[in-house]
Amino acid sequence: MNIGQAAEQAGLPPKTIRYYEDIGLVKPGRDTNGYRAFGDKDIHKLTFLAHARALGFSIEDCRDLLALWEDTQRASADVRRIAQEHLQRIEDKIADLQNMRDTLTTLVRDCAGDDRPDCPILNSLGDPRPA
Amino acid sequence: MNIGQAAEQAGLPPKTIRYYEDIGLVKPGRDTNGYRAFGDKDIHKLTFLAHARALGFSIEDCRDLLALWEDTQRASADVRRIAQEHLQRIEDKIADLQNMRDTLTTLVRDCAGDDRPDCPILNSLGDPRPA
DNA sequence: GATAGGCCTTCCACTCACTGGAAGGTCAAG
DNA sequence: CTTGACCTTCCAGTGAGTGGAAGGCCTATC
């Protein structure tokens, strides 16, 4: 299978797949004309990568998860640990963003948003001890 | 004021302040020895930048907000619009992360996490139509 | 056989917002 | 006079791709 079809199957842009080969996540063969030749296992890996990345796993997490996937003897606990650590990072990030949202919501609510120059948003951002 | 004190006041690393000068966000003067000399207005700007960045505004948003802050005639509506657009991006990001979290929570819950090799997380990630 | 177009290849540069480090100048204390 | 903490500039790297140029290959049509 050429890179175009592989991209379609996996739901990734061809450029991204070349990049994944570059950094050693997949190792497709080559046809005599130099085109990459993707087998079923490559497609599976790319699909795996597309899903894991969509869930926000880092490339290095993906590398670890793929290695565990290829190791039929691995303990599911190893996978679970990576997923749980990632879950914690996501929870933290959500909490951060919710704090930002709350602060911004207050600022936007207090801003008249009209033609007058007075603006609580700018005032607060410039204050050494802001809202 | 030297860059070290300015950094302390504003709550930013010196490296970041130099970077902000590089990209034209602040323009401190120079002492005769070549050291940057930060005035009150520079400190205020840096403080502003630290807060706006902490709220997740992009550098380009910060540039716009600083320009509005320096324009005493600006309408508060302009500021409000930038803040509200940013707020929307934050809301979207929170929703994305919550979806990720929900999917991952399900996967982690279904994974035995013991010595056995069977792992619903890996199975699902490799599935063309995943959880 | 020529040509058009749609693939494919490599390589280089760019993104964003810094961060790290090297090499060297300056300043205050002891 | 030396030590150590500052400061300066410049170069390179981060993560995870994306954009584009220059050129090769493959198929279809004229």
Side-chain angles (χ1 to χ4, degrees):
Chain A
M1 191 159 6
N2 284 350
I3 200 169
Q5 275 115 38
E8 186 127 357
Q9 289 276 316
L12 289 172
K15 276 259 176 189
T16 299
I17 295 179
R18 289 193 195 102
Y19 171 68
Y20 287 170
E21 187 188 10
D22 243 40
I23 62 174
L25 289 180
V26 283
K27 297 183 178 53
R30 295 283 176 151
D31 288 336
T32 47
N33 57 12
Y35 287 17
R36 287 168 184 82
F38 294 86
D40 286 354
K41 191 170 174 188
D42 296 313
I43 299 301
H44 194 120
K45 278 193 178 190
L46 290 173
T47 306
F48 186 105
L49 286 167
H51 296 157
R53 292 289 300 131
L55 285 174
F57 284 99
S58 73
I59 289 287
E60 287 317 304
D61 276 349
C62 288
R63 198 187 296 278
D64 294 346
L65 289 171
L66 269 182
L68 291 171
W69 176 69
E70 296 204 83
D71 173 8
T72 51
Q73 292 306 303
R74 92 268 148 169
S76 67
D78 293 341
V79 181
R80 196 170 198 266
R81 186 184 43 73
I82 294 176
Q84 227 159 10
E85 283 171 11
H86 180 48
L87 189 50
Q88 189 55 56
R89 286 194 298 271
I90 289 177
E91 304 271 18
D92 293 350
K93 188 77 188 154
I94 289 174
D96 281 357
L97 286 172
Q98 281 172 341
N99 283 336
M100 287 185 200
R101 183 191 57 189
D102 294 347
T103 303
L104 264 179
T105 300
T106 305
L107 290 178
V108 167
R109 196 196 55 216
D110 292 349
C111 175
D114 56 19
D115 292 346
R116 287 169 298 168
D118 182 54
C119 179
I121 299 173
L122 293 182
N123 293 345
S124 173
L125 287 174
D127 190 329
R129 286 170 308 184
Chain B
M1 189 156 11
N2 283 351
I3 199 169
Q5 275 116 38
E8 185 126 358
Q9 289 276 318
L12 288 172
K15 276 258 176 190
T16 300
I17 296 179
R18 288 192 195 102
Y19 171 69
Y20 287 170
E21 187 188 9
D22 243 39
I23 62 175
L25 289 180
V26 282
K27 298 182 178 52
R30 295 284 176 149
D31 288 336
T32 47
N33 58 10
Y35 287 16
R36 288 169 183 81
F38 295 87
D40 286 354
K41 191 172 174 187
D42 296 313
I43 300 301
H44 194 119
K45 277 193 180 191
L46 289 173
T47 306
F48 186 104
L49 285 166
H51 296 157
R53 292 288 301 131
L55 285 175
F57 284 98
S58 73
I59 290 286
E60 286 319 302
D61 277 348
C62 289
R63 198 186 295 278
D64 293 346
L65 289 171
L66 269 183
L68 291 171
W69 176 70
E70 296 205 83
D71 174 9
T72 51
Q73 292 306 305
R74 91 269 150 168
S76 67
D78 293 340
V79 181
R80 196 170 198 265
R81 186 184 43 74
I82 294 176
Q84 227 160 9
E85 283 171 11
H86 180 48
L87 189 50
Q88 188 55 56
R89 287 195 297 270
I90 289 178
E91 303 271 20
D92 293 350
K93 188 77 187 156
I94 289 174
D96 281 357
L97 286 172
Q98 281 172 342
N99 284 336
M100 285 184 201
R101 183 190 57 189
D102 294 347
T103 302
L104 264 179
T105 301
T106 304
L107 290 177
V108 167
R109 196 195 56 216
D110 292 350
C111 176
D114 56 19
D115 292 345
R116 287 169 298 168
D118 182 54
C119 178
I121 299 174
L122 293 182
N123 293 345
S124 173
L125 287 175
D127 190 329
R129 286 169 309 183

